[in-house]
Amino acid sequence: MRVLGIDCGSQRTGYGVIESDGRDHRMVAAGVIRTNAKTPFEKRLLEIAGRLRELIRVHRPESAAVEGVFHSANAKTALKLAHVRGIALLVVAEAKVELAEYSPLEVKISVVGYGRAEKFQVQTMVTSLLGLAEAIDSEDACDALAVAICHATHQATARRLASPEPV
Amino acid sequence: MRVLGIDCGSQRTGYGVIESDGRDHRMVAAGVIRTNAKTPFEKRLLEIAGRLRELIRVHRPESAAVEGVFHSANAKTALKLAHVRGIALLVVAEAKVELAEYSPLEVKISVVGYGRAEKFQVQTMVTSLLGLAEAIDSEDACDALAVAICHATHQATARRLASPEPV
């Protein structure tokens, strides 16, 4: 299956596309949508929507995975992020791509096997699970790949549980 | 000038379209976009975007006015509202309609002349300013009309200041 992971942020939105059977994962694309903080916010939302639509058009994912939104220490940042997240959910729904949401805890448990994993542990595991020669530089792209891997793993487990192979 | 006011909400989004020269205001349309709380959130965002796009297509406003987003007592509600607000800003930017934002204080001062006005005072003034025989029932539609009136008034003042009539 092909999964688009999105890591929404008010200034940088990470994305990662993977091809996966739930056990073996391959990276198709990954990057960061950066917008200029000096550009009016609604124009930045327009830019993010355009880039996400393009990613879906080019990579044709079957599903998209995002992290749930949680109260941040910084309420203003959380509110800006929620605007961007609204855009991401809209674009996914418009493209009729299936949407899945996971908590940061679920993503870390799925990728690292430990819910309180540090950023660098997530990065190391994402790099390893995707069989990459070099670590993904961007934390945002890495987080997007992590949520995509989490979804691919969950989906494969759900399918196996639905139709178990004979012992 | 024709102004679309939008009052974003996680369950109900009010809208109001007015035609105004900055002194006399006429209501063109007003209502509420309600979405079913049982519908997945991304589908509700899709519905809201569709309705807002239709309003802009039908009424062709020159500008759209929304209230700024503020931290609410209920962080969860504020975050959901911010998702909807992101959608509203995107739709306005997509349609190349000019966007204006006002604080609740600015809206109340503009409409009632008093920043700590109560809801019923806003409703009474909106009804009176639009010359309506009956009060607008919906609080959400009323708030949307109020922010539209606020913008029309501000715009007219700005224009008069830019090119003052001879004394």
Side-chain angles (χ1 to χ4, degrees):
Chain A
M1 79 192 86
R2 186 160 286 201
V3 184
L4 165 65
I6 309 172
D7 181 57
C8 297
S10 59
Q11 296 200 13
R12 293 181 308 275
T13 291
Y15 65 86
V17 182
I18 62 164
E19 186 67 49
S20 169
D21 61 5
R23 296 183 211 210
D24 295 311
H25 316 283
R26 183 173 64 82
M27 185 175 86
V28 176
V32 182
I33 303 168
R34 280 172 217 276
T35 56
N36 189 334
K38 286 178 188 159
T39 305
F41 191 48
E42 69 276 15
K43 300 257 158 49
R44 287 161 63 191
L45 295 176
L46 195 58
E47 221 174 302
I48 295 167
R51 293 287 306 280
L52 289 176
R53 283 183 186 129
E54 196 192 337
L55 282 170
I56 291 176
R57 189 178 54 75
V58 171
H59 298 294
R60 306 196 161 279
E62 290 161 60
S63 48
V66 294
E67 278 195 7
V69 68
F70 300 93
H71 322 313
S72 149
N74 186 336
K76 208 173 152 187
T77 304
L79 286 176
K80 282 215 156 184
L81 184 149
H83 281 70
V84 175
R85 199 168 175 279
I87 300 304
L89 299 191
L90 176 72
V91 167
V92 167
E94 275 176 349
K96 297 190 172 66
V97 171
E98 186 200 9
L99 178 78
E101 298 184 52
Y102 297 93
S103 70
L105 187 79
E106 285 174 304
V107 174
K108 285 174 177 174
I109 287 175
S110 175
V111 172
V112 186
Y114 172 58
R116 297 176 71 183
E118 301 289 339
K119 285 273 177 195
F120 79 89
Q121 294 175 302
V122 174
Q123 193 185 29
T124 306
M125 282 308 296
V126 165
T127 308
S128 160
L129 288 168
L130 293 172
L132 302 173
E134 278 181 44
I136 301 280
D137 244 4
S138 151
E139 208 175 80
D140 305 290
C142 191
D143 286 348
L145 288 166
V147 69
I149 292 170
C150 170
H151 179 58
T153 312
H154 275 243
Q155 280 290 89
T157 306
R159 280 180 200 175
R160 273 201 291 278
L161 287 173
S163 56
E165 289 163 34
V167 185
Chain B
M1 80 191 86
R2 185 161 287 201
V3 184
L4 165 64
I6 309 172
D7 181 57
C8 298
S10 60
Q11 296 202 11
R12 293 181 307 276
T13 291
Y15 65 86
V17 181
I18 63 164
E19 186 68 49
S20 169
D21 60 5
R23 295 184 213 210
D24 295 311
H25 317 283
R26 184 174 63 82
M27 186 175 87
V28 176
V32 182
I33 303 168
R34 281 172 217 274
T35 55
N36 190 334
K38 286 180 190 158
T39 305
F41 191 48
E42 70 275 15
K43 299 256 160 47
R44 287 161 63 192
L45 294 176
L46 195 60
E47 218 175 305
I48 294 167
R51 293 287 306 277
L52 288 176
R53 284 184 186 127
E54 195 193 340
L55 282 170
I56 291 176
R57 191 178 53 74
V58 171
H59 297 295
R60 306 197 162 278
E62 291 162 60
S63 47
V66 295
E67 278 195 8
V69 67
F70 300 92
H71 322 313
S72 149
N74 185 335
K76 207 173 153 188
T77 304
L79 286 175
K80 282 215 158 183
L81 184 149
H83 281 68
V84 175
R85 200 169 175 278
I87 300 304
L89 298 192
L90 176 73
V91 167
V92 167
E94 275 176 349
K96 297 190 173 63
V97 170
E98 186 200 13
L99 178 78
E101 299 183 51
Y102 296 92
S103 69
L105 187 77
E106 285 174 304
V107 174
K108 285 175 178 174
I109 286 176
S110 175
V111 172
V112 186
Y114 172 58
R116 297 178 68 183
E118 301 287 341
K119 285 275 178 195
F120 80 91
Q121 293 175 301
V122 173
Q123 193 185 30
T124 306
M125 282 308 295
V126 165
T127 308
S128 160
L129 287 167
L130 294 172
L132 302 173
E134 278 182 44
I136 301 280
D137 245 5
S138 151
E139 209 175 80
D140 305 289
C142 191
D143 285 347
L145 288 165
V147 69
I149 292 170
C150 170
H151 179 58
T153 312
H154 276 242
Q155 280 290 89
T157 306
R159 280 179 200 176
R160 274 199 290 279
L161 288 173
S163 56
E165 289 163 33
V167 186

